[in-house]
């Protein structure tokens, strides 16, 4: 190991997207290796709007492994994180940078300590799968730094051991996590079904719902479901295998009606399993239910579904619209039913791809106040408005997989290896 001086810092910076499952993973057959009881399918979200950036650095000058998340130092002792680290380190290869005179032999990697800095471009606590993007980014960046020869699928099997859903963030577009059969988990990997360009009409609107209660974590929630729910077994054995085949076909043919029907049904069944758990788990709240009923009412008033909705282990709604025109109509409805508090700036209430606001025809709060009631509710009881129930909306689309960024975008100082 070494170079002309022992002061060098070698680093890699990467960006990794988050993903939303349209066929949910819920339940493990192996807690330690994180092996699921069913396949799952997800859509990768555009990293321009939701992503994690991670810099991993190595230097003979580092005296211990250290990590910073959003600028704050955090512990690296978690078992899952250590599993990923062990898996990656054991696969490290020889590395040489002739120009800088750095040479690291395979065996030397074990002796070198790491500095890791990670940053989410969206609120970590908003329940938007930050751990999936975070772990996938750590695995992807470190694999590059350690000069691993493994492909994305093999890396997905390592990310999986950090958090199940993280394995699907190794690819862009539409991704399937194959549950696998092997006891050692070697065939429990993610594969890409189609890239993000395959179906680029889709527009995704996320309602970040104001949550007052603390949720049950996915990890403990699914453990409880496996122990106490009878529905989960039926779901994993009878329902999901058929749905996965149908969902793959819907994605391949860009058949939005089937896609929406399957995604909504699967989200609803996942939450039914949560309710079937003892004690019952309530991830959705009143606002989530109001959003479902708004979308369902609209979908039923049209000849075919316009929007799909799906909810993970929290109250936030992820809605997938057929195209931009439908997304604008959706946002119009959402802003009508869920206007912000009067003192809110519209610019901070709708974030991500804001250009969609032009299609909605709103420029400021006055325009939001004047939005007409959606035609499908006109003749019914007076339409309900729930001011302040949604914290903000994020407009995005299906997006690309992980990418390596340039050193100028690094989160660590190239000389000290400490956060910039
Ligand atoms: C509802 O991947 O967070 O989002 O594997 O225990 O870390 P662990 O769980 P996690 O569970 C995600 C559950 C879900 C559905 C999904 O993403 O498929």
């Amino acid at each position: 190991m070494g170079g002309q001086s022992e002061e060098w810092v070698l680093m890699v910076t990467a960006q990794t997207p988050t993903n939303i499952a349209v066929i949910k993973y819920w339940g493990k057959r192996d807690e330690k290796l994180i092996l699921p009881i069913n396949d799952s399918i997800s859509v990768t979200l555009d990293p321009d709007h939701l992503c994690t950036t991670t810099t991993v650095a190595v230097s003979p000058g580092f005296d211990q492994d250290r990590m910073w998340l959003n600028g704050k130092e955090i512990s690296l002792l978690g078992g899952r994180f250590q599993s990923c680290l062990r898996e990656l380190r054991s696969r490290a290869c020889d590395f040489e940078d002739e120009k800088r005179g750095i040479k690291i032999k395979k065996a030397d990697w074990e002796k070198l300590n790491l500095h890791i800095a990670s940053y989410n471009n969206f609120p970590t606590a908003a329940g938007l799968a930050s751990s999936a993007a975070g772990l996938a980014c750590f695995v992807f960046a470190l694999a590059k730094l350690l000069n691993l020869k493994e492909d994305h699928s093999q890396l997905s099997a390592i990310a999986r051991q950090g958090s199940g859903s993280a394995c699907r963030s190794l690819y862009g577009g539409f991704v399937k996590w194959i549950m696998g059969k092997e006891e050692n988990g070697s065939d429990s990997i993610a594969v890409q079904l189609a890239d993000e360009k395959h179906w680029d009409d889709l527009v995704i609107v996320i309602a970040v719902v104001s949550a007052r209660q603390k949720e049950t974590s996915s990890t403990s929630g699914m453990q409880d479901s496996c122990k106490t729910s009878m529905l989960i077994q039926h779901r994993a054995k009878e329902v999901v295998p058929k749905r996965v085949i149908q969902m793959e076909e819907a994605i391949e043919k860009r058949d939005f009606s089937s896609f929406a029907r399957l995604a909504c049904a699967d989200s609803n069944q996942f939450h039914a399993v949560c309710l079937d758990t003892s004690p019952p788990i309530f991830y959705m709240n009143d606002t989530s239910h109001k959003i479902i009923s708004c979308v369902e009412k609209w979908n039923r008033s049209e000849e075919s579904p316009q929007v799909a909705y799906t909810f993970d282990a929290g109250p936030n709604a992820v809605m997938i619209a057929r195209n931009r025109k439908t997304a604008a109509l959706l946002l119009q409805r959402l802003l009508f039913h869920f206007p912000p508090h009067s003192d809110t700036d519209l610019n901070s209430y709708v974030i991500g791809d804001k250009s969609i606001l032009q299609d909605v025809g709103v420029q400021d709060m006055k325009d939001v106040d004047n939005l007409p009631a959606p035609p499908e509710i006109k003749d019914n009881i007076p339409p309900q408005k729930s001011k302040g129930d949604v914290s903000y909306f994020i407009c995005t689309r299906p997006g690309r997989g992980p990418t390596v960024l340039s050193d100028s975008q690094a989160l660590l100082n190239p000389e000290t290896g400490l956060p910039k």
Side-chain angles (χ1 to χ4, degrees):
M1 174 172 42
Q4 287 138 344
S5 94
E6 288 294 279
E7 294 307 306
W8 53 265
V9 175
L10 189 68
M11 56 190 195
V12 170
T13 300
Q15 187 187 63
T16 300
T18 174
N19 72 79
I20 177 74
V22 285
I23 301 292
K24 306 287 183 197
Y25 144 55
W26 197 249
K28 298 181 184 72
R29 63 177 202 281
D30 186 311
E31 289 287 335
K32 192 148 188 298
L33 290 171
I34 310 203
L35 301 176
I37 56 170
N38 57 256
D39 293 348
S40 54
I41 295 180
S42 60
V43 180
T44 299
L45 307 181
D46 189 343
D48 287 350
H49 308 131
L50 292 150
C51 75
T52 298
T53 301
T54 300
T55 300
V56 283
V58 66
S59 167
F62 297 166
D63 54 9
Q64 56 170 317
D65 289 338
R66 292 177 75 182
M67 177 163 186
W68 295 264
L69 175 62
N70 296 329
K72 220 179 122 204
E73 185 153 13
I74 58 165
S75 160
L76 269 172
L77 294 175
R80 289 170 164 208
F81 196 82
Q82 289 295 331
S83 300
C84 292
L85 204 54
R86 200 174 45 246
E87 293 285 323
L88 289 160
R89 272 190 171 129
S90 72
R91 289 170 172 82
C93 296
D94 291 353
F95 173 86
E96 183 162 12
D97 182 337
E98 277 183 21
K99 249 186 16 236
R100 294 179 65 194
I102 304 171
K103 209 169 173 178
I104 308 171
K105 298 296 275 175
K106 190 175 166 52
D108 293 335
W109 284 110
E110 294 286 345
K111 299 173 218 144
L112 286 165
N113 291 308
L114 299 167
H115 280 188
I116 306 147
S118 215
Y119 169 79
N120 295 326
N121 70 349
F122 56 94
T124 305
L128 294 169
S130 55
S131 69
L135 275 148
C137 202
F138 164 67
V139 168
F140 180 77
L142 191 53
K144 294 277 171 212
L145 183 74
L146 301 176
N147 205 12
L148 255 62
K149 304 289 179 266
E150 272 72 5
D151 63 19
H152 281 211
S153 260
Q154 289 164 308
L155 293 184
S156 79
I158 300 176
R160 188 202 72 226
Q161 296 175 53
S163 178
S165 51
C167 76
R168 297 183 310 236
S169 275
L170 262 304
Y171 291 100
F174 301 82
V175 186
K176 176 175 165 182
W177 174 11
I178 302 167
M179 63 178 283
K181 290 191 183 72
E182 299 295 335
E183 259 178 56
N184 68 4
S186 57
D187 57 350
S188 188
I189 55 169
V191 293
Q192 188 177 52
L193 297 175
D195 70 16
E196 62 280 15
K197 289 182 207 88
H198 166 73
W199 201 354
D200 61 1
D201 290 351
L202 300 180
V203 176
I204 300 169
V205 178
I206 303 170
V208 178
V209 170
S210 326
R212 274 160 210 106
Q213 281 161 273
K214 190 160 162 35
E215 297 148 17
T216 313
S217 76
S218 305
T219 308
S220 72
M222 66 178 90
Q223 266 170 3
D224 292 349
S225 294
C226 285
K227 274 188 223 133
T228 61
S229 166
M230 299 232 281
L231 181 55
I232 198 172
Q233 298 307 331
H234 171 70
R235 165 176 165 75
K237 288 200 174 67
E238 307 295 331
V239 182
V240 175
K242 294 189 192 96
R243 250 181 213 162
V244 163
I245 296 171
Q246 292 167 341
M247 184 55 101
E248 280 189 63
E249 204 179 301
I251 291 170
E252 195 198 324
K253 294 186 180 150
R254 298 183 204 92
D255 171 358
F256 187 80
S257 301
S258 303
F259 176 86
R261 190 176 46 76
L262 291 162
C264 296
D266 201 68
S267 172
N268 289 333
Q269 187 178 60
F270 153 52
H271 290 278
V273 166
C274 292
L275 213 54
D276 190 46
T277 300
S278 176
I281 311 167
F282 308 106
Y283 283 128
M284 294 196 285
N285 64 16
D286 280 357
T287 310
S288 320
H289 294 147
K290 280 183 203 161
I291 292 174
I292 294 183
S293 103
C294 158
V295 173
E296 287 281 354
K297 237 179 244 164
W298 181 29
N299 278 347
R300 259 177 288 132
S301 74
E302 301 282 337
E303 261 167 45
S304 52
Q306 303 301 302
V307 173
Y309 57 80
T310 186
F311 294 78
D312 271 350
N316 300 333
V318 178
M319 290 158 278
I320 308 176
R322 204 180 255 282
N323 53 38
R324 217 180 141 85
K325 193 172 153 225
T326 332
L329 292 169
L330 169 68
L331 199 55
Q332 215 170 56
R333 285 166 168 80
L334 293 169
L335 288 172
F336 174 83
H337 288 294
F338 306 99
H341 289 299
S342 324
D343 53 349
T344 313
D345 174 12
L346 187 57
N347 246 318
S348 59
Y349 196 54
V350 178
I351 61 170
D353 178 8
K354 289 178 203 273
S355 68
I356 207 138
L357 281 173
Q358 284 153 26
D359 303 30
V360 182
V362 295
Q363 277 175 350
D364 49 32
M365 282 306 299
K366 203 165 74 328
D367 295 336
V368 172
D369 290 338
N370 292 333
L371 281 170
E376 65 272 12
I377 56 162
K378 272 231 160 111
D379 302 326
N380 283 342
I381 33 170
Q384 275 202 339
K385 291 205 179 210
S386 313
K387 213 174 229 189
D389 278 8
V390 169
S391 300
Y392 54 95
F393 294 103
I394 307 171
C395 297
T396 185
R397 61 179 90 84
R400 63 181 178 275
T403 46
V404 174
L405 303 182
S406 70
D407 276 353
S408 64
Q409 287 161 289
L411 303 174
L412 295 171
N413 179 309
E415 263 126 53
T416 60
L418 292 168
K420 276 181 176 169

